[in-house]
Amino acid sequence: MLSLLSSLLSLLFVFLISFFIITSHFSFPLSLLKLLGFIKFTASRDDDDNYKRDEGTYVVGEEELQRELMPRHVAVIMDGNRRWAKREGLLTSQGHEAGAKRLIEFSELCFKLGIHTVSAFAFSTENWGRHKIEVKCLMSLIQHYLKSKIQYFQREETRVSIIGNLTKIPESLRQTIHEIEEATKSYKKKHLILAIDYSGRLDILRACKSIVHKSEAGLIRKEDVDEAMIERELLTSCTEFSSPDLLIRTSGEQRISNFFLWQLAYTELFFSSVLWPDFDKDKLVEALVSYQRRERRFGCRV
Amino acid sequence: MDLNQSMRLLSSWIAQIGGLGLDLLWRFIHLVVSLWYIVSGIIEAVESYAISLGLNKKYSSINIEKLRCLAVVVDIEEARDVSKVIELLQWLRTIGVKQVGLFDSQGLLKKSKDLILGTVPGSVLSEEIGEKDSSPEQNPLALEFISSSDNKEAVMKAANILLQDYLKSSRPENDKGENFFTETHLNEALRVVGENVHAPDLLLVYGPIRSHLGFPAWRLRYTEIVHMGSLNYMRYGSLLKAIHKFTGVHQNYGT
């Protein structure tokens, strides 16, 4: 029986190799290794689980995630809350609430997988142009979630930072932000960054202004201004890994929308067609697998 | 004892057969998924060739006016094959694109500028478009060559210009520069440095990695980004499809 099965597997192998040769002229997301991985001659089998893995790898579904290849900083543009609410027959506010819940789950999963920093584009400067009621609702939602999750973040030892132009947000929200940042500032292993009233261009401008003030105060000379100095003055300097390794944008839109313009130079961009409240663990793993398969050269020839 | 031994042997056989069955099922699922990818890849290739041959009426007319400026990012390994880049530019000209920015991180395409301009018919440098009153070509293809030095280094130089201007200017003591450091001022400073601040509507990325590889960040605010795969496997149909898809995109710009 085993020899019959082996013959069958051999035939399958020949069949697949022929397919691969024919389709090698086309640019398919398929590799020879993946094909060969299908055929595993099981001459000897263990009583243990077939999928023996080395320490430090995660098996999720059919894909492996390797800890050493995990991105250090994952950024996400949480797009699609309103469309999700419309599809589900709910109010826009309920869509944003579902989005907030999804962010908590997303960041929890990222930290469990060993990712150090997670940053999320919660509210852009351009969003002030939305309907006043929606904006008010968003501000209340953010405040409610931050206030109610202080103990959770302390328990999880997660540092929370909020970046953006925080002058236009309600005073109560500003106080809550101050509270949560103070309560979690000592934690080093996990960092959640929320970008509220954030604009990539204004971040660069703000960095330039900060340099000017330092120069006026005699702290730096004109000739000291370089790329590294500008990077240190950006709002993302609150984290050790200021440039995201992976950016995920949901809902099918394929643009950065003024988020982290400077920081995204060599970031892997993953555009998912799924709406943000539906972006679950499987979709995150898909994004991480896609990231781990890429060969990033950072503009240099390796 | 014999009965126990028989039972143990039987359960061992059942476990082995069950395990083998599950393993085969797992491989079968892999096979189905891979066949799905193969079939969808074949369909995509056939669709692309059909579009190239003009068989698909949907792509026969594109509202190209919506695409004022297109940028192309090429991976440095693929930028070494300039012939592919030239072919791509010829396709873009056929489609009716008027302005193209070519980017690679190390400036290889900048070095091949003369070759590209000499080979692609009707192509001129975008800087020269305004200078000449009448171009010999009725619909010239304006080309711009960009590299990483036009990204962060350019912003740094522009920041230095703003700093110098701010320090030289006479202003009230409590002026924190709120009216001095605006997007308009940085745009102007970038122009002084010699940079184009015009934002592309669509960015096509050719290479193994889905990243813009250091394209000038200041210009990418609302740019649609499409990963096209390797330049070696580029297809006219895929290019047309990406541009057609862009013309159907609606942006809220955050509102």
Side-chain angles (χ1 to χ4, degrees):
Chain A
M1 189 176 167
L2 276 175
S3 63
L4 178 66
L5 283 169
S6 298
S7 312
L8 184 63
L9 289 172
S10 308
L11 274 172
L12 276 173
F13 178 79
V14 168
F15 172 69
L16 287 168
I17 290 295
S18 329
F19 247 110
F20 178 75
I21 291 166
I22 291 165
T23 57
S24 64
H25 294 294
F26 305 101
S27 53
F28 292 150
L30 204 62
S31 68
L32 179 58
L33 285 174
K34 195 175 170 186
L35 279 170
L36 289 177
F38 295 165
I39 311 300
K40 194 165 76 172
F41 293 100
T42 53
S44 62
R45 295 162 58 86
D46 299 325
D47 288 333
D48 296 332
D49 186 356
N50 270 342
Y51 317 134
K52 257 189 174 174
R53 299 285 182 241
D54 298 329
E55 226 177 78
T57 63
Y58 299 83
V59 178
V60 186
E62 296 173 354
E63 299 289 353
E64 265 188 37
L65 286 176
Q66 295 185 30
R67 198 171 186 101
E68 62 271 15
L69 295 179
M70 209 62 81
R72 293 166 305 183
H73 180 170
V74 171
V76 63
I77 300 177
M78 308 178 288
D79 200 6
N81 292 340
R82 292 189 292 182
R83 274 169 279 175
W84 181 88
K86 194 176 174 184
R87 192 192 73 195
E88 300 293 318
L90 299 170
L91 299 170
T92 305
S93 57
Q94 289 172 302
H96 289 308
E97 187 147 354
K101 276 190 192 137
R102 181 57 70 192
L103 176 60
I104 301 293
E105 287 161 12
F106 175 87
S107 56
E108 196 178 318
L109 185 57
C110 284
F111 295 137
K112 258 190 205 155
L113 290 171
I115 294 165
H116 178 273
T117 305
V118 172
S119 49
F121 202 8
F123 191 89
S124 78
T125 303
E126 287 80 11
N127 288 154
W128 288 113
R130 290 190 179 183
H131 198 276
K132 279 185 188 164
I133 295 174
E134 188 184 345
V135 170
K136 200 172 172 186
C137 161
L138 275 166
M139 290 294 133
S140 303
L141 182 71
I142 294 170
Q143 183 173 345
H144 164 74
Y145 261 84
L146 287 178
K147 213 170 177 70
S148 63
K149 292 288 179 191
I150 291 179
Q151 286 180 352
Y152 164 79
F153 287 122
Q154 284 179 313
R155 200 168 56 241
E156 296 294 320
E157 294 186 5
T158 304
R159 183 182 167 194
V160 178
S161 298
I162 284 83
I163 61 173
N165 174 25
L166 304 178
T167 52
K168 284 166 83 174
I169 61 172
E171 178 60 34
S172 54
L173 175 55
R174 215 175 299 136
Q175 277 176 7
T176 306
I177 287 171
H178 178 74
E179 218 178 295
I180 197 170
E181 283 186 334
E182 280 300 307
T184 59
K185 67 181 179 189
S186 59
Y187 304 124
K188 303 242 184 284
K189 289 190 181 161
K190 302 174 201 169
H191 198 167
L192 174 65
I193 300 173
L194 291 179
I196 297 175
D197 192 6
Y198 179 87
S199 156
R201 281 193 171 188
L202 292 179
D203 196 6
I204 296 171
L205 274 168
R206 204 198 128 274
C208 295
K209 259 191 253 180
S210 175
I211 288 168
V212 163
H213 295 317
K214 285 186 177 172
S215 174
E216 274 192 308
L219 296 170
I220 52 170
R221 297 168 300 175
K222 280 179 277 188
E223 47 271 22
D224 293 334
V225 179
D226 57 9
E227 284 181 33
M229 178 168 288
I230 293 182
E231 275 180 30
R232 281 196 294 274
E233 298 299 328
L234 293 171
L235 291 169
T236 42
S237 58
C238 62
T239 175
E240 191 186 337
F241 310 109
S242 56
S243 295
D245 298 298
L246 173 66
L247 170 79
I248 298 169
R249 180 170 185 154
T250 54
S251 87
E253 306 300 337
Q254 297 187 172
R255 50 189 177 264
I256 295 167
S257 292
N258 209 7
F259 183 51
F260 283 4
L261 292 180
W262 180 282
Q263 297 88 333
L264 290 177
Y266 298 105
T267 302
E268 173 78 11
L269 308 173
F270 185 83
F271 299 117
S272 172
S273 56
V274 164
L275 302 175
W276 172 244
D278 290 331
F279 194 82
D280 56 13
K281 178 177 146 187
D282 291 338
K283 300 293 178 292
L284 172 59
V285 167
E286 193 186 321
L288 291 171
V289 166
S290 170
Y291 168 82
Q292 291 194 351
R293 279 195 187 143
R294 301 291 178 190
E295 186 194 327
R296 296 167 80 216
R297 293 194 284 258
F298 299 94
C300 305
R301 192 179 183 188
V302 175
Chain B
M1 287 299 288
D2 285 337
L3 183 66
N4 282 340
Q5 274 179 350
S6 306
M7 289 299 290
R8 266 202 297 272
L9 197 64
L10 184 66
S11 60
S12 167
W13 268 100
I14 290 170
Q16 282 197 11
I17 290 166
L20 189 64
L22 282 174
D23 191 46
L24 280 173
L25 180 65
W26 185 69
R27 291 184 199 289
F28 178 72
I29 291 169
H30 263 277
L31 183 64
V32 167
V33 167
S34 295
L35 283 174
W36 168 256
Y37 269 112
I38 290 168
V39 167
S40 62
I42 291 172
I43 291 171
E44 196 187 308
V46 167
E47 189 193 10
S48 181
Y49 284 121
I51 294 169
S52 308
L53 295 171
L55 299 172
N56 195 328
K57 296 275 183 265
K58 189 171 142 191
Y59 300 99
S60 55
S61 65
I62 292 179
N63 179 17
I64 203 70
E65 297 305 321
K66 199 175 172 189
L67 181 59
R68 287 159 302 186
C69 178
L70 171 77
V72 176
V73 169
V74 183
D75 183 68
I76 45 159
E77 289 304 318
E78 298 184 355
R80 291 172 204 282
D81 186 2
V82 184
S83 61
K84 282 286 181 189
V85 174
I86 289 170
E87 193 182 349
L88 176 66
L89 289 171
Q90 284 167 341
W91 286 353
L92 288 170
R93 188 151 190 269
T94 309
I95 293 170
V97 176
K98 293 193 172 60
Q99 192 174 350
V100 177
L102 285 173
F103 171 89
D104 71 282
S105 55
Q106 295 198 348
L108 296 176
L109 294 175
K110 258 185 192 172
K111 289 175 190 161
S112 311
K113 182 166 66 175
D114 292 332
L115 171 64
I116 293 171
L117 287 167
T119 316
V120 177
S123 62
V124 294
L125 273 178
S126 54
E127 295 99 72
E128 289 171 12
I129 286 276
E131 284 168 19
K132 292 182 183 168
D133 287 333
S134 60
S135 167
E137 283 285 339
Q138 281 193 335
N139 292 312
L141 175 65
L143 293 180
E144 185 194 351
F145 294 88
I146 318 162
S147 66
S148 288
S149 61
D150 301 304
N151 184 19
K152 294 183 179 181
E153 206 178 303
V155 172
M156 184 202 74
K157 285 179 190 165
N160 265 317
I161 290 174
L162 286 181
L163 169 59
Q164 283 162 30
D165 289 349
Y166 178 77
L167 292 174
K168 278 183 211 162
S169 68
S170 53
R171 62 203 179 279
E173 274 198 21
N174 58 354
D175 179 11
K176 291 183 181 175
E178 296 298 330
N179 298 321
F180 203 90
F181 289 91
T182 62
E183 286 187 34
T184 314
H185 285 105
L186 192 49
N187 272 341
E188 210 39 60
L190 282 166
R191 283 199 188 98
V192 166
V193 169
E195 297 301 326
N196 182 356
V197 297
H198 193 69
D201 301 299
L202 176 63
L203 182 81
L204 302 177
V205 178
Y206 283 96
I209 306 163
R210 200 186 293 118
S211 163
H212 63 70
L213 301 176
F215 188 90
W218 187 257
R219 299 169 65 179
L220 279 180
R221 191 164 50 160
Y222 297 119
T223 305
E224 286 285 312
I225 302 171
V226 179
H227 182 232
M228 301 294 289
S230 170
L231 197 65
N232 297 323
Y233 299 115
M234 65 176 187
R235 291 192 288 266
Y236 181 77
S238 304
L239 178 65
L240 207 59
K241 196 174 169 185
I243 294 175
H244 181 266
K245 192 180 170 193
F246 162 76
T247 59
V249 160
H250 169 73
Q251 280 211 37
N252 285 330
Y253 298 101
T255 57

